[in-house]
Amino acid sequence: MYVAVKGGERAILNSHKLITETRRGDGAVPEVSVRQIGEQLGLAVDRVMTEGSVYDRELAALAIKQAQGDLVEAIFLLRAYRTTLPRFAVSEPIDTAKMLVRRRISAAYKDIPGGQVLGPTYDYTHRLLDFALAAEDGVGLPEAPVADAPLDDGMPHVADILDHEGLIEEERPDGDGAEVFDLTREPMSFPAGRDQRLQNLARGDEGFVLALGYSTQRGYGGNHPFAGEIRMGEVSVEIVPEELGFAIDIGDVVISECHMINQFEGSKEKPPQFTRGYGLSFGHNERKVMAMALVDRALRAREMGETAMYPAQDEEFVLYHADNVEAAGFVSHLKLPHYVDFQAELNLIRKLRQEHQDRLEKEAAE
Amino acid sequence: MNMRAKATPRPQPARARWMSILARATSGELEAAWERLEERPRYAVLRRPETGLVMVRGRAGGTGDPFNFGEMTVTRCAVRLADGTVGHCYAAGRDKRKAELAAVFDALMQSAGDARIEETVIAPLARRQVAERERVSRKAAATKVDFFTMVRGDNPG
Amino acid sequence: MNDGNATLATPDMEGLKPGFTEPVFEAQEAFRTVLNTLSYAGRVHTLATELDPPAPLDPATAAMALTLFDFDTPVWLDATIQGGAAPDFLRFHCGAPLVAAAGEARFAMIADPSNMPPLDRFAIGEDRYPDRSATLLIQVPALTGGPGMTWCGPGIDGEITVAIAGLPTDFWAQWADNHALYPLGVDVIFAAGRALVGLPRGIQVEG
């Protein structure tokens, strides 16, 4: 509990002015533009769009500038902004098999139709600081090679085309047409369906989801995963506006997707089989989608008949703590004045100490 | 709750095609196309350009049950030509001028004379968009791995 | 309409009537009026709206629709409203899905109250979420001159006599059942011309 206090208006106003000045930094250095952030800090933009849950590169870049690069603060700004916009439609489910692929790899199968496409990645760099980037005259305009022919049109998912023996669980809609859960409209409810879990994880804090995914690999979740496929590229988004009544394509979003394949020992009903975990994010966000896929699989413990023993398998624990806007808000509220509560606690401790002292003296006297 | 009856789409492939091309155009491209028109039609704005959100859905595992993944900004506009034809636009992003011009071109495409608009506006946009996609894909294709089998050390020769 | 959006056919966009001229300010005014209407049940509130909505909608009914309906609010229309240009007007200006099943609607628009379905056909909310109930916008010939009823409850100082015209004879018996469901139940806003009267579920009405 906290008690409202008044006062400090001038201090607050001046604090706003001071943070504005601090954010601008040394006036001798050119101010960074929102377009520069969008173009040159694109992966930060991708994270803010994913966890801020709004695909809009300019807005995310603006949020990053305003938050002085504090991504969790930028995510908060974007989430706050989205509440001011009306919702026009819900899209048809995106078809990631029809992606304009920029990157696509599988660690489970070597020879995949369409090939292993590395795309733009830091995976094979040496992780040595590149001082060329710090040079005054910058890096110029580097150009990547262009192949003679484009990639194959449309790339089906690897697990769907290479598993001829049915050793990997199939993902099919169950066709019950149930209403899809929406965290932005309904409070969390348990037991959670996979739709609720996936939406929560997609918006969830990358660090939290990464740590949980890591815990499943270290034995706190008991899955031995393979990266069945990771892909990144553009998919088109279709809606059916109420006043038109037919499907139209409104543009593309860049997304990252991960299919994780996990060993499954089988249960009384099901023979041993590989099962799947799924990760999806806006932009290029591979670490997040891989971690998300691990946690998605861990959270399927109940439906697999596995005993949920570890944090990553505990849906209430995971879902209630994944959102960094909520988490940062509750941790940060401790900064609000708790003066009266603390005074009450001090009085209580004084009283308890006095009682403790009295008891010792009484015992000594006896 | 939020229950709703399932929409029954009535596909209009030709119109959907040009609407998607217009939605992917830049406002600069549409502005230039508008300036190039020999006679620019009068139109009334039925719905001023407004920005809102579309909830994007994915599918569990890529092919399973749908889930709500995250939202995207979208701007829409509706206009009416003097002959009564109504044009619509829904385009990703927050570009209001683009939405308005795209709605005008949607109306022009529906009314008479659409062959000329197709030829002078839609087809060039489509060609540029296809070329850009191809360029992206060819750059990705340049990073495709060619595996080769290592010669084993104990093999003769 | 037989299912959800089956009447989409060819929306008559050519005859489409305009919505609010100043969407922000007009919606704010209407929203404030609706709040007052529900806070002070039984009092007549009047909107300054200039709307010229499609028949059979009155300006107050249409203003409430433009203010309250959106993509997230399934709307049920009675047969009189379905017949005219109103469905396209609502789809275009509100983006609201029109549903065939009364129980699925968050809002219902009724312009022919003498043939309205019983109140218990609409959603009354759930124990955990009493707000997941329907709000009925009932357009009546007049807000005065009907049989006088005594209303009492929150927002009414003592009691007030209200004489809504044009309601089915058993409406108030149905209302007693709805009131008994509190905190569940439907809420009603009556409209005529530019005027509104609110009847939230907490109000008790006697003859």
Side-chain angles (χ1 to χ4, degrees):
Chain A
M1 195 190 100
Y2 60 91
V3 174
V5 289
K6 287 185 94 172
E9 287 92 347
R10 193 177 50 83
I12 290 170
L13 277 176
N14 287 345
S15 158
H16 287 170
K17 290 174 182 159
L18 184 56
I19 188 69
T20 307
E21 181 192 304
T22 309
R23 174 169 62 209
R24 174 60 182 86
D26 183 349
V29 177
E31 184 178 339
V32 70
S33 74
V34 168
R35 281 194 69 195
Q36 285 172 334
I37 294 170
E39 291 298 319
Q40 296 171 40
L41 295 178
L43 297 183
V45 168
D46 289 346
R47 180 175 173 196
V48 171
M49 292 196 303
T50 299
E51 293 171 41
S53 208
V54 178
Y55 192 95
D56 188 309
R57 302 199 70 83
E58 285 169 29
L59 289 179
L62 172 61
I64 291 168
K65 177 171 178 177
Q66 185 177 334
Q68 218 184 326
D70 177 343
L71 298 191
V72 174
E73 180 76 11
I75 288 159
F76 190 169
L77 291 171
L78 197 55
R79 289 264 191 102
Y81 181 77
R82 71 160 282 285
T83 64
T84 67
L85 297 175
R87 182 178 288 179
F88 292 161
V90 168
S91 85
E92 302 294 293
I94 53 173
D95 186 351
T96 54
K98 289 191 182 146
M99 177 185 282
L100 171 65
V101 168
R102 289 169 182 257
R103 170 167 165 79
R104 188 268 211 129
I105 56 165
S106 170
Y109 297 99
K110 178 168 77 65
D111 297 309
I112 48 180
Q116 306 263 3
V117 179
L118 302 183
T121 176
Y122 294 108
D123 283 358
Y124 310 99
T125 62
H126 295 103
R127 264 74 185 221
L128 300 172
L129 272 180
D130 181 358
F131 288 95
L133 290 169
E136 275 299 309
D137 49 357
V139 294
L141 293 170
E143 270 188 51
V146 182
D148 294 334
L151 295 168
D152 301 350
D153 231 9
M155 287 205 195
H157 294 112
V158 178
D160 296 337
I161 42 177
L162 292 184
D163 177 35
H164 306 298
E165 298 167 78
L167 300 182
I168 303 176
E169 164 195 37
E170 278 189 306
E171 289 275 13
R172 299 207 173 288
D174 68 8
D176 67 356
E179 195 63 29
V180 181
F181 191 90
D182 188 352
L183 274 178
T184 69
R185 294 292 190 272
E186 297 154 77
M188 208 101 80
S189 76
F190 296 99
R194 199 169 173 203
D195 51 354
Q196 180 183 340
R197 300 194 304 250
L198 286 169
Q199 186 182 12
N200 174 283
L201 292 173
R203 292 156 58 100
D205 182 77
E206 180 176 322
F208 179 77
V209 178
L210 176 67
L212 280 175
Y214 178 44
S215 76
T216 68
Q217 289 179 278
R218 293 194 66 259
Y220 294 86
N223 296 305
H224 188 245
F226 293 92
E229 185 175 2
I230 296 163
R231 56 167 69 193
M232 184 271 289
E234 277 123 311
V235 294
S236 70
V237 179
E238 267 189 7
I239 60 170
V240 181
E242 288 293 334
E243 73 275 22
L244 288 179
F246 61 91
I248 56 169
D249 176 350
I250 59 172
D252 299 308
V253 291
V254 175
I255 56 130
S256 300
E257 183 187 43
C258 174
H259 293 260
M260 208 58 94
I261 303 172
N262 302 266
Q263 279 177 10
F264 174 57
E265 293 166 356
S267 62
K268 251 186 261 171
E269 294 80 28
K270 290 183 177 173
Q273 194 184 31
F274 284 102
T275 55
R276 302 216 235 182
Y278 187 63
L280 189 64
S281 84
F282 285 140
H284 190 185
N285 222 331
E286 223 155 278
R287 194 188 307 119
K288 170 69 182 283
V289 290
M290 293 178 73
M292 174 174 166
L294 291 172
V295 179
D296 170 45
R297 174 59 188 85
L299 288 175
R300 297 179 66 198
R302 185 167 24 88
E303 95 192 60
M304 298 288 173
E306 297 163 341
T307 318
M309 291 187 292
Y310 304 110
Q313 297 170 317
D314 179 339
E315 65 178 15
E316 288 202 31
F317 178 79
V318 174
L319 270 52
Y320 273 130
H321 300 110
D323 192 288
N324 61 26
V325 176
E326 285 172 14
F330 201 49
V331 169
S332 299
H333 104 280
L334 294 174
K335 293 188 282 191
L336 292 169
H338 286 66
Y339 306 138
V340 175
D341 309 59
F342 189 63
Q343 287 303 318
E345 295 284 319
L346 283 177
N347 288 342
L348 180 64
I349 291 286
R350 284 195 195 102
K351 186 164 162 253
L352 292 173
R353 284 170 68 102
Q354 187 61 51
E355 283 170 12
H356 179 76
Q357 184 69 25
D358 292 350
R359 203 162 47 243
L360 286 184
E361 282 169 15
K362 195 177 161 204
E363 279 167 14
E366 278 167 5
Chain B
M1 189 169 66
N2 192 19
M3 295 199 274
R4 66 184 60 237
K6 199 92 178 121
T8 329
R10 295 167 300 106
Q12 294 199 9
R15 185 163 173 216
R17 173 190 155 268
W18 75 63
M19 286 183 79
S20 107
I21 292 166
L22 289 166
R24 284 180 171 76
T26 65
S27 56
E29 286 173 322
L30 295 182
E31 199 77 68
W34 175 247
E35 294 300 325
R36 275 198 307 273
L37 287 184
E38 280 162 26
E39 50 182 310
R40 286 187 278 283
R42 292 176 154 283
Y43 62 89
V45 177
L46 217 48
R47 172 157 57 209
R48 284 186 272 189
E50 59 172 335
T51 297
L53 296 168
V54 163
M55 173 55 89
V56 182
R57 283 197 173 154
R59 287 189 181 280
T63 46
D65 282 324
F67 68 99
N68 289 310
F69 160 43
E71 287 163 310
M72 66 190 285
T73 53
V74 61
T75 301
R76 67 179 176 187
C77 181
V79 300
R80 178 161 54 200
L81 301 181
D83 71 2
T85 315
V86 173
H88 286 269
C89 169
Y90 276 82
R94 287 171 300 116
D95 192 333
K96 295 198 159 119
R97 179 66 180 155
K98 164 176 150 178
E100 183 171 332
L101 287 171
V104 174
F105 282 118
D106 174 46
L108 287 175
M109 283 294 288
Q110 295 172 71
S111 67
D114 63 353
R116 218 173 56 228
I117 301 289
E118 166 70 39
E119 202 176 295
T120 59
V121 180
I122 304 295
L125 288 173
R127 277 197 296 276
R128 199 269 300 159
Q129 290 167 15
V130 168
E132 198 169 290
R133 286 175 72 85
E134 191 186 302
R135 190 165 172 78
V136 165
S137 191
R138 284 169 62 196
K139 283 193 181 174
T143 68
K144 191 154 91 174
V145 179
D146 287 323
F147 286 107
F148 51 90
T149 309
M150 303 286 278
V151 177
R152 291 165 67 115
D154 52 9
N155 280 358
Chain C
M1 131 160 92
N2 38 30
D3 79 88
N5 292 314
T7 56
L8 271 172
T10 313
D12 177 18
M13 288 293 176
E14 303 191 16
L16 189 72
K17 297 244 189 181
F20 287 138
T21 323
E22 292 289 342
V24 173
F25 299 113
E26 290 176 70
Q28 272 177 358
E29 191 225 340
F31 190 75
R32 169 48 66 188
T33 307
V34 169
L35 279 185
N36 288 340
T37 295
L38 291 170
S39 306
Y40 302 104
R43 288 192 207 170
V44 177
H45 291 81
T46 305
L47 283 166
T49 181
E50 300 284 312
L51 268 179
D52 170 29
L57 302 181
D58 281 353
T61 321
M64 281 195 285
L66 294 178
T67 304
L68 300 173
F69 299 178
D70 66 16
F71 177 75
D72 286 315
T73 57
V75 173
W76 181 90
L77 306 177
D78 77 0
T80 324
I81 301 176
Q82 269 181 49
D88 284 337
F89 177 84
L90 297 171
R91 267 195 207 95
F92 180 79
H93 290 295
C94 309
L98 305 182
V99 295
E104 290 178 8
R106 297 306 293 269
F107 288 103
M109 289 185 102
I110 293 154
D112 176 18
S114 52
N115 286 311
M116 66 180 282
L119 293 179
D120 64 10
R121 290 268 306 280
F122 297 95
I124 57 166
E126 304 158 32
D127 286 331
R128 285 172 67 191
Y129 303 103
D131 55 306
R132 293 179 182 178
S133 55
T135 300
L136 278 50
L137 313 182
I138 305 178
Q139 184 173 301
V140 292
L143 298 172
T144 51
M149 304 293 288
T150 307
W151 296 22
C152 66
I156 298 173
D157 186 5
E159 54 184 51
I160 185 173
T161 301
V162 186
I164 308 287
L167 295 175
T169 45
D170 64 343
F171 181 86
W172 295 111
Q174 292 180 40
W175 183 259
D177 293 342
N178 181 65
H179 171 70
L181 296 170
Y182 190 85
L184 303 185
V186 302
D187 303 305
V188 170
I189 303 172
F190 297 107
R194 291 184 164 70
L196 305 171
V197 166
L199 176 60
R201 66 191 79 175
I203 299 299
Q204 196 181 342
V205 178
E206 279 166 7

